[in-house]
Amino acid sequence: MDSATSETRTPLGASARNGLKIVVVGGFGAGKTTMVRSVSEIRPLNTEEMMTRAGEAVDDVRGVRGKHTTTVAFDFGRISLDAHNVLYLFGAPGQERFWFLWDQLFSGTLGAVVLVDTRRIDDSWYAIDRLERHGTPFIVACNDFGGPAFAPEQVRDALDLDPHVPLITCDARSRESSKLVLITLVEHLRALYADPARAPRQELV
């Protein structure tokens, strides 16, 4: 499926007052840049650089042999929810050597999407651990790379997910699919904040 990114970009309205921050995290090559690019209403800012042979000695490139670029800081996109509320999307770098950036990206974050490649599900552990330690609510989205299909219960067991954490499948190349991921996250956050007993308490960084 081709990317549904449109050439028509929407300017930020003068009435916009509230900026809501969402972070997309996950393992190396899970599709974070692709998701931000597919769903953003503006031309996304990204910090992709060409991968080199020297980097192969540092990054685990198994399962991502067709990948030629990599994010070295973060991706940034934007979606206008209505006249007053704007969603800002930050895609975190997936390589272990850039994980030190994550805590800063999590600061002030409303919630997060953990993007999972089920062919390399162990790559998702660090993202989930850091979000739980930080107290940032999240959902899990399995990006479809055409590999073996797993039942939701199998993915939940493999990731040891709390039963209340939403788990969905998606195609990060598709704008509609990526929008559904964000809608699922927003609905999850609404339910959490409506219940004071479950409302997240983020640690300070």
Side-chain angles (χ1 to χ4, degrees), residues 65-95:
R65 291 293 179 182
K67 186 173 173 62
H68 303 294
T69 61
T70 185
T71 300
V72 297
F74 61 85
D75 303 303
F76 173 77
R78 189 193 77 204
I79 302 173
S80 296
L81 300 178
D82 53 39
H84 304 296
N85 299 292
V86 180
L87 195 66
Y88 294 112
L89 303 175
F90 290 82
Q95 306 98 304

Side-chain angles (χ1 to χ4, degrees), residues 94-137:
Q95 306 98 304
E96 184 174 354
R97 57 193 166 116
F98 295 124
W99 285 352
F100 70 92
L101 296 170
W102 285 23
D103 283 341
Q104 295 304 314
L105 283 177
F106 293 166
S107 180
T109 297
L110 187 65
V113 174
V114 178
L115 202 57
V116 174
D117 178 354
T118 53
R119 301 170 304 175
R120 297 177 292 118
I121 201 164
D122 287 348
D123 291 355
S124 308
W125 272 105
Y126 183 78
I128 292 173
D129 178 69
R130 290 311 306 161
L131 289 167
E132 290 179 339
R133 287 176 179 270
H134 195 266
T136 301

Side-chain angles (χ1 to χ4, degrees), residues 141-178:
C142 296
N143 194 13
D144 183 9
F145 283 91
F150 294 95
E153 295 77 14
Q154 292 176 294
V155 177
R156 283 191 177 277
D157 289 344
L159 294 175
D160 194 24
L161 284 184
D162 185 287
H164 299 293
V165 175
L167 171 67
I168 63 174
T169 59
C170 72
D171 183 339
R173 299 168 297 178
S174 163
R175 171 169 289 181
E176 291 305 314
S177 183
S178 296

Side-chain angles (χ1 to χ4, degrees), residues 9 15-16 31 39 43 48 50 59 81 126-127 145 152 154 157 168 170 173 179 181 204:
R9 303 297 175 177
S15 61
V39 78
R43 188 175 301 280
E48 284 195 308
M50 292 296 298
D59 302 321
L81 300 178
Y126 183 78
F145 283 91
Q154 292 176 294
D157 289 344
I168 63 174
C170 72
R173 299 168 297 178
K179 283 171 61 177
V181 171
L204 298 177

